[in-house]
Amino acid sequence: MTDRLRLVTWNINSLRLRLGLLGRVVEEARPDVVCLQETKVDDANFPMEAVRALGFEHVLYRGDKGYNGVAILSKRPIEPAGHRFWGGVEDARHISARLADGMVVHNFYVPAGGDIPDPALNVKFAHKLRFLDDLTDWGATVAGDTTPRVMVGDLNIAPLETDVWSHKQLLKVVSHTPVEVDKLARVQAAGAWTDVVRQVITPDIKLYSWWSYRARDWAAADRGRRLDHIWTDGGLAPRVRGASVLKDARGWTQPSDHVPVMVDIDPA
DNA sequence: ATGGTAGTCTTACTA
């Protein structure tokens, strides 16, 4: 019998620059597992000693020099559960880990997709759409699996009207366009995923996990989007006891533009 | 109002 698992996902926007803020998240939230995106560090320079000093003895990471990069930090033993490339581009946007009870955690950093929401004019948007199609194909292969599955990360899509500050004003803005929202729904359906954050914080409530650096006053404008997600398979979803978004982290000194999102999962 | 800010491979690229 193990204790309840506390899982955090956070686009940290440079791990090395924000080791101190990671320490603050760890101190305040006491997570057992932390999934990071945009670590922006290649594997040779991963700050393993600093991460270990925060209490994470079990760490998996894959990075690119200066861009992308994902990591799974764990206080409990984990083993690698595979990784691959998505959408035909070889960058570090996926890593997965298996815990001792068999639960597999997949950590994703979906491409932001650039500014123009047209795959014919914007190769970054085309890559984002192909990435989502690959996630759908993959989901179909794991949907029947009885292994407890968790999928987290910066999916760079805000699917619900209450996931954005203005549904109408963002319909043509990459992250909330109908083509992306439709494709994310296909990913979710194919993999039989449950959005467990919205299971706890119901869709009638506005909820954001990202606020642009470009606002004069991010809190006053509050023009946020919910880009960071935690999904589980249907069997695991009833074991999710709580979900929260650590909005305060956006107001810390030299913050990431994303804030941590967290759930607690009961043992089987 | 087609800007604005932040981080890194820094005078260019990504987000």
Side-chain angles (χ1 to χ4, degrees), chain A residues 230-267:
Chain A
I230 302 176
W231 294 356
T232 77
D233 69 88
L236 198 50
R239 288 164 47 192
V240 174
R241 288 296 166 229
S244 52
V245 175
L246 307 182
K247 183 177 178 180
D248 289 354
R250 186 62 179 80
W252 294 347
T253 301
Q254 200 171 38
S256 172
D257 46 354
H258 296 251
V259 298
V261 179
M262 180 168 81
V263 296
D264 289 331
I265 304 174
D266 278 346

Side-chain angles (χ1 to χ4, degrees), chain A residues 49-69:
Chain A
E49 287 312 310
V51 166
R52 186 174 282 131
L54 294 175
F56 300 101
E57 292 288 336
H58 311 281
V59 183
L60 298 171
Y61 50 85
R62 295 183 56 239
D64 295 317
K65 191 173 184 179
Y67 299 105
N68 309 318

Side-chain angles (χ1 to χ4, degrees), chain A residues 203-221:
Chain A
D204 55 302
I205 298 167
K206 288 237 178 214
L207 189 65
Y208 315 138
S209 65
W210 172 90
W211 292 261
S212 173
Y213 283 128
R214 296 174 188 174
R216 285 187 198 87
D217 183 337
W218 71 275

